[in-house]
Amino acid sequence: MNPLFLDTPAEKWNLPSAEPWREKQIREWIFQRFASSFEEMSNLPAALRSDLAGRFRLSAVEPVKIQGSADTTRKILWRLGDGSFLESVLIPANPGRDGDRSGRLTLCVSSQVGCAYGCRFCASGLDGWRRNLTSAEIVGQVLGAAKIAGRRPDNLVFMGMGEPLANLPRLRVAMEVLTAAEGVGIGARHLTVSTSGLAPQIEELAKFPGQFRLALSLHAGTNETRDKIMPVNRKYPLEKLIPACEAFAKTKRKMITFEYILLKELNDDPSEAQAVVRHARRLHAKVNLIPYNTVEGLPYERPTESAIRRFQKVFQDAGIEATVRREKGHDIDAACGQLRLREEKRVPLPA
Ligand code: SAH
Ligand code: SF4
């Protein structure tokens, strides 16, 4: 298989030395115009286009399935060079509103194939971990999705498949390309990295340049409950995790967001919310409550509406900002990992 163009040092592209502007033109096609083939680069001579196409692959990810429509959540299934599948989700701010394209566009990006952390409720970890994504595969999701959407996403959230902090070196390079003015050019403020709680890596991440955001997948206020649903908590229990987040918030001067999936009768007791309030106060964090998205084959359910409201009220009473995310794309399996699992098990997808 041909090497990836962007993974090859520019001096090996063999561009005509008498035309020094070609490199800039090509970068513009890739990062600003989201070209997925050399053929599209219409201001390059045909001979150069076919020469490059014969020697390089341009995209690290190839879209094989898109579910959803332009004004709703769209889930994109990608095939990678080694035949693995991967997914990203495009989320418009106002899905379903008649013809409203003015809203912001968020892309949910994956960082690994599978996940080693095995949170009980999550589809991504069901088949274990396969490999880290390369930086090109991370950036490729953004470029490929921009092509499909017809524009660059406004916000990126690393909340797809995998644990981004278990892939830090490649994440770092990808974040640099995504935020650089001569790269994709998305402001670091519009990037959110989500972690299940790898305490040492959170402190490492704080050293990355840029004012990006951190979301902590907390999902419980006590070690007792967290141990039941997130094996990572045995390694980095709350007494290690919360100080690491505190260090991050201090270094970056950024507020952290807690993600909190609501699982019926597991972590939806108001006493658990009280414990989260204490962590939120300490970190000045706000809380995102996410009613669980059911995963085929897993026994968990979302709580009733009244249980959700009771839980949220604990935060309101304590003066902590807590929103309930009415997740988009429930009907198209937008929870992490589900589309890929179906594909790999060859279960037919709904039309
Ligand atoms: N590994 C990282 C990032 C990917 S998971 C992390 O855990 O933070 C991104 C978010 O999706 C996490 O908060 C995760 O807990 C949540 N999630 C996983 N499965 C879900 C489901 N079935 N319904 C709703 N949210 C889910
Ligand atoms: Fe991995 Fe995040 Fe899923 Fe946990 S929630 S298994 S860390 S992807």
Side-chain angles (χ1 to χ4, degrees):
M1 197 189 293
N2 281 337
L4 265 175
F5 183 71
L6 284 178
D7 280 351
T8 309
E11 58 272 17
K12 296 206 174 140
W13 293 348
N14 285 344
L15 300 177
S17 54
E19 298 173 350
W21 60 88
R22 294 294 179 210
E23 182 174 332
K24 185 158 179 273
Q25 279 180 327
I26 296 176
R27 287 188 193 277
E28 258 173 35
W29 275 105
I30 297 174
F31 292 126
Q32 310 302 320
R33 302 168 81 166
F34 318 120
S36 56
S37 68
F38 291 103
E39 209 36 58
E40 287 162 61
M41 303 183 180
S42 51
N43 54 0
L44 298 191
L48 178 57
R49 281 185 263 157
S50 59
D51 167 52
L52 291 170
R55 292 189 291 126
F56 298 108
R57 273 183 303 146
L58 190 56
S59 308
V61 302
E62 178 203 347
V64 287
K65 194 164 284 170
I66 303 167
Q67 277 183 280
S69 60
D71 55 355
T72 58
T73 298
R74 266 181 294 176
K75 188 150 188 163
I76 309 164
L77 183 73
W78 313 100
R79 194 177 16 235
L80 310 183
D82 68 350
S84 302
F85 289 100
L86 190 69
E87 61 202 0
S88 322
V89 187
L90 266 170
I91 311 157
N94 297 306
R97 293 240 183 106
D98 296 355
D100 181 1
R101 301 279 187 86
S102 61
R104 300 185 78 75
L105 188 64
T106 297
L107 182 72
C108 179
V109 180
S110 293
S111 54
Q112 299 184 309
V113 182
C115 184
Y117 289 87
C119 302
R120 303 281 180 249
F121 46 79
C122 176
S124 294
L126 280 181
D127 275 355
W129 178 82
R130 198 171 299 162
R131 69 172 175 87
N132 282 324
L133 293 188
T134 64
S135 304
E137 287 164 341
I138 297 174
V139 174
Q141 293 169 67
V142 180
L143 297 174
K147 168 115 183 164
I148 289 164
R151 69 176 174 105
R152 193 176 70 178
D154 303 290
N155 301 304
L156 301 179
V157 294
F158 289 90
M159 294 186 182
M161 200 192 323
E163 170 51 56
L165 297 202
N167 190 11
L168 272 185
R170 292 157 202 99
L171 178 74
R172 181 176 181 139
V173 173
M175 286 170 72
E176 280 165 6
V177 175
L178 291 167
T179 54
E182 64 281 9
V184 187
I186 300 176
R189 282 183 171 70
H190 299 284
L191 266 58
T192 301
V193 179
S194 176
T195 180
S196 58
L198 310 193
Q201 285 83 346
I202 289 173
E203 296 197 42
E204 212 33 55
L205 183 72
K207 296 180 197 148
F208 283 24
Q211 287 294 306
F212 55 87
R213 294 167 191 278
L214 178 67
L216 174 67
S217 294
L218 192 60
H219 308 328
T222 59
N223 282 325
E224 194 195 346
T225 306
R226 208 164 188 265
D227 279 346
K228 281 189 203 151
I229 50 178
M230 301 180 74
V232 67
N233 197 63
R234 294 184 192 272
K235 193 158 184 197
Y236 304 118
L238 292 167
E239 56 278 13
K240 287 192 181 153
L241 179 55
I242 299 296
C245 292
E246 207 166 32
F248 181 95
K250 207 166 145 202
T251 311
K252 284 283 178 207
R253 297 177 196 281
K254 269 273 173 213
M255 246 170 88
I256 290 176
T257 305
F258 291 161
E259 304 284 307
Y260 197 105
I261 299 186
L262 282 160
L263 300 156
K264 188 176 182 178
E265 285 160 20
L266 254 173
N267 67 354
D268 61 348
D269 193 90
S271 64
E272 204 68 34
Q274 289 291 1
V276 176
V277 162
R278 288 192 286 277
H279 303 310
R281 282 223 172 96
R282 180 163 165 193
L283 296 178
H284 305 288
K286 56 182 182 172
V287 184
N288 224 333
L289 301 172
I290 312 155
Y292 183 59
N293 223 331
T294 39
V295 174
E296 230 175 86
L298 292 182
Y300 306 106
E301 288 173 46
R302 57 173 59 183
T304 59
E305 271 306 308
S306 65
I308 294 173
R309 260 179 269 122
R310 194 169 61 226
F311 198 84
Q312 186 183 21
K313 189 165 179 299
V314 175
F315 296 97
Q316 283 163 347
D317 292 348
I320 304 281
E321 188 183 335
T323 46
V324 179
R325 193 195 291 163
R326 295 295 163 190
E327 96 290 5
K328 297 143 187 165
H330 194 46
D331 54 334
I332 59 156
D333 294 340
C336 311
Q338 279 167 272
L339 186 67
R340 164 181 165 263
L341 278 184
R342 278 192 192 235
E343 190 61 26
E344 298 204 337
K345 293 195 174 129
R346 294 180 212 287
V347 176
L349 288 158

